[in-house]
Amino acid sequence: MTELIVTNFNRNFTGVSATAAGVLRAQAPRYDLALAGQPLPGCPAPVTVAKARRLSRRAPEGRDFVIWHVRRNTEMRAALWARDVLRLPIRIVFTSAAQRRHSALPRWLISRMDAVIATTERAADFVPHVRAVVPHGVDCAAYQPAPDRAAAWAATGYPGQRGIATIGRIRPEKGTDRFIDAMLRLLPDQPDVTALVLGRAGRRDLAFLQELKARVAAANLQERIIFAGEVSPEALPTLLHGLSMVVQLPVYEGYGMAPLEGMASGVPFVATDAGYYRDFSMGETAGWIVRDAPEAATALSALLRDPKRHASMASAARAAATARFSIEGEADGIGAVYDMLWRSEAHA
């Protein structure tokens, strides 16, 4: 019988979706589980929320309840309805990555959770009922270094001999404009480098995107700063291991998977001090933390001109990803919270 329901209600594939998918793939051999809501790549076919409720009517053998693991407001609401209105034998676990105070509704919803898992120590400061701090992990089998980085980049079909990229939604909060600023400073002195903006802009940010494209065109760099759009989860590992650098310069970030996916691919990063980036950097042996676009351009120039140092950072990045930030490690940490809940109820 089902012992774990993992929810995914967002039709779009977001950062939350990506982290949920990675964990779910690692959890699938460990639990009798079901995915409720929308599909996730490489995961079991989803069931409807109604089916998830039916699967939760009876506790599985040896357990006193089914665990619902939720990550969004809508998912918390559905789980609370199942637990508190329908009186199903479930307990609710919520993962929180936000490193700022939640608004009123999420705060109330989170207060009703049975357990909260924070992805960072900072995130834990903003939520109650924290049972563990468990950083998001990366699938180090899917994301691997290329045997030949230059050949991997050439295989992407993009121009130039080396590539750097920023990854994520195109909007001011994500620092896409900072990335463009850095590239306008860097690329004139790096003629073999192509910069990619990987992501899409929502309707509210289309004017922001057009402004960025106009700045690139004014600098006559539109063939070297490419707005490549959103990359599918299946295609991202192949593209990443051809890159030389990942560059993330957000104003705010809850956690931030892009540098970590790059690290697993043997790609160092340059980033602002947001999300969990400073911890990823391992004392700036795997990535460099900068304050702004000019510092980012300076750091990138130094690393791209120093193959020995770049190779050392690439090796350190891969080692840190496998040793400290693997998806298996995240699944272990989450599983410990599940076991804590199941044991505490059994001994109540």
Side-chain angles (χ1 to χ4, degrees):
M1 295 181 66
T2 303
E3 56 187 340
L4 173 63
I5 302 289
V6 177
T7 56
N8 177 52
F9 290 2
N10 197 327
R11 295 178 184 274
N12 297 322
F13 191 80
T14 65
V16 173
S17 307
T19 57
V23 173
L24 185 54
R25 289 191 293 267
Q27 290 177 321
R30 308 183 184 198
Y31 303 101
D32 187 340
L33 59 76
L35 169 64
Q38 301 299 319
L40 289 171
C43 296
V47 300
T48 64
V49 177
K51 177 66 178 295
R53 292 176 186 141
R54 290 196 294 272
L55 292 172
S56 304
R57 285 176 180 170
R58 294 170 52 194
E61 185 176 353
R63 309 287 195 198
D64 292 315
F65 51 82
V66 177
I67 287 177
W68 281 41
H69 194 151
V70 300
R71 293 173 169 86
R72 300 179 175 93
N73 291 354
T74 53
E75 296 164 15
M76 285 192 280
R77 290 166 61 183
L80 286 171
W81 179 269
R83 188 193 69 188
D84 297 347
V85 178
L86 301 180
R87 300 292 183 182
L88 299 180
I90 72 171
R91 298 294 181 270
I92 312 168
V93 175
F94 173 70
T95 290
S96 181
Q99 297 189 33
R100 57 189 177 190
R101 181 176 170 83
H102 296 267
S103 56
L105 176 60
R107 288 204 308 273
W108 182 84
L109 293 169
I110 295 167
S111 75
R112 303 290 298 161
M113 300 294 101
D114 295 291
V116 173
I117 297 171
T119 58
T120 66
E121 294 80 2
R122 177 67 173 154
D125 291 338
F126 295 96
V127 287
H129 311 311
V130 174
R131 301 296 184 100
V133 174
V134 182
H136 286 316
V138 62
D139 186 342
C140 293
Y143 292 91
Q144 293 196 27
D148 184 333
R149 194 188 307 275
W153 173 252
T156 68
Y158 289 111
Q161 296 176 318
R162 293 184 289 179
I164 59 181
T166 191
I167 305 167
R169 291 290 295 272
I170 297 173
R171 57 185 180 187
E173 185 178 67
K174 293 295 186 181
T176 321
D177 52 340
R178 290 177 169 181
F179 178 75
I180 298 301
D181 287 344
M183 295 307 100
L184 294 179
R185 292 170 179 268
L186 174 73
L187 294 187
D189 295 326
Q190 298 283 341
D192 66 337
V193 174
T194 297
L196 305 179
V197 180
L198 304 177
R200 65 182 181 88
R203 282 181 293 179
R204 290 183 298 180
D205 295 310
L206 290 177
F208 175 68
L209 171 60
Q210 291 307 313
E211 178 185 335
L212 297 181
K213 288 183 174 180
R215 292 179 59 203
V216 170
N220 199 29
L221 286 171
Q222 59 268 43
E223 294 184 1
R224 299 185 56 209
I225 302 176
I226 300 172
F227 292 84
E230 201 165 33
V231 178
S232 72
E234 296 80 11
L236 186 58
T238 300
L239 178 56
L240 268 178
H241 74 194
L243 295 177
S244 294
M245 298 293 301
V246 168
V247 184
Q248 301 294 116
L249 306 174
V251 177
Y252 168 81
E253 181 65 71
Y255 187 80
M257 286 294 294
L260 188 54
E261 291 163 343
M263 288 167 62
S265 308
V267 182
F269 69 89
V270 168
T272 46
D273 193 2
Y276 214 42
Y277 298 166
R278 186 169 292 278
D279 288 79
F280 292 163
S281 77
M282 302 296 290
E284 297 197 298
T285 60
W288 279 359
I289 304 300
V290 297
R291 290 178 297 181
D292 51 26
E295 277 197 9
T298 299
L300 288 163
S301 179
L303 287 171
L304 292 171
R305 293 178 185 278
D306 189 342
K308 185 175 180 180
R309 187 166 197 175
H310 183 275
S312 174
M313 291 185 72
S315 178
R318 173 66 183 181
T322 55
R324 290 197 54 194
F325 299 106
S326 72
I327 197 66
E328 292 79 14
E330 183 180 3
D332 289 344
I334 291 171
V337 174
Y338 296 166
D339 290 339
M340 185 188 311
L341 285 174
W342 278 318
R343 285 197 305 269
S344 63
E345 193 83 4
H347 297 152

